[in-house]
Amino acid sequence: LPEPKKEEKKEKASVWPLPVTGRIEVRTGFVQYKEYRIEPFEGRLLLERERDRLEVQAARMCGVSFPMEVEAVPEKVTAAAHISMQGQALEKSVPCLTGGAVELTGDADLTAELKTEGRRPNLAQNLTGTVQAVSRNGNVKKFALIGSILSMRNLASVSKMEEGGFPYRSMTAKGH
């Protein structure tokens, strides 16, 4: 009789220790992947046997600046992003960021300090930080969340929004 097969335990391949070490610095006018264009882009990648670190000093996409730091060691990944926008025209930024799902006009200021720590796939659920956004003197053309809130209140503004939007003086969002 043939011997019973032993269960094989397959371990995930580990990238640690890294097979290469060094430092890569990039300073360029832009980096583009498909329709996403980051301009300018300035950063460095540090590779060590048991650690890698990405430091992005300058990155801007859709009018939003997002310098960041990401560090990976065998036990975990830590990341922090510093997001900001000052007096940016929403009619250019919002469609770029949302793929056209939201259409707003007006000027906006945004600041966010976001951090996460852990292992994949838990990085998104471990996200913490603060966000503050203010937009002024614009028009809401397409924004499903606001439409849903207004329709629950049975306001006449909903039909107005569906016809081409409605004006606003100020919208503020804060979160933790």
Side-chain angles (χ1 to χ4, degrees):
L1 292 170
E3 277 188 40
K5 291 184 180 179
K6 295 180 182 177
E7 281 188 36
E8 292 182 30
K9 291 184 180 179
K10 292 185 179 181
E11 292 185 25
K12 289 186 179 179
S14 175
V15 298
W16 307 105
L18 293 177
V20 296
T21 61
R23 178 180 174 143
I24 301 169
E25 293 201 31
V26 176
R27 184 175 295 143
T28 184
F30 73 92
V31 174
Q32 185 158 348
Y33 176 73
K34 295 185 179 180
E35 69 275 3
Y36 301 104
R37 185 176 175 109
I38 300 170
E39 60 181 319
F41 181 85
E42 182 179 332
R44 78 174 57 97
L45 177 62
L46 305 167
L47 299 171
E48 298 174 3
R49 300 287 289 163
E50 297 289 330
R51 178 180 88 120
D52 64 0
R53 181 170 175 81
L54 173 66
E55 300 169 350
V56 177
Q57 290 87 18
R60 189 172 179 87
M61 185 175 79
C62 302
V64 179
S65 175
F66 59 96
M68 68 176 76
E69 304 87 36
V70 179
E71 183 170 286
V73 294
E75 303 82 39
K76 66 180 177 180
V77 173
T78 58
H82 319 282
I83 301 167
S84 67
M85 181 169 65
Q86 287 296 120
Q88 182 68 32
L90 290 174
E91 51 268 23
K92 293 179 182 177
S93 296
V94 172
C96 174
L97 291 168
T98 66
V102 176
E103 291 180 33
L104 298 172
T105 65
D107 293 328
D109 299 329
L110 165 73
T111 58
E113 294 292 330
L114 304 174
K115 295 179 183 179
T116 188
E117 177 176 89
R119 292 181 159 218
R120 290 177 64 195
N122 300 326
L123 292 172
Q125 75 185 51
N126 294 344
L127 191 64
T128 62
T130 58
V131 178
Q132 182 170 337
V134 177
S135 61
R136 297 165 295 281
N137 303 320
N139 194 31
V140 177
K141 295 181 178 180
K142 184 178 172 185
F143 197 155
L145 176 62
I146 290 176
S148 297
I149 292 168
L150 293 177
S151 66
M152 287 174 47
R153 304 277 311 218
N154 289 327
L155 298 175
S157 305
V158 175
S159 61
K160 207 176 184 186
M161 184 175 169
E162 291 170 355
E163 294 170 8
F166 63 88
Y168 70 91
R169 282 191 289 261
S170 176
M171 283 194 286
T172 302
K174 293 181 182 181
H176 178 76

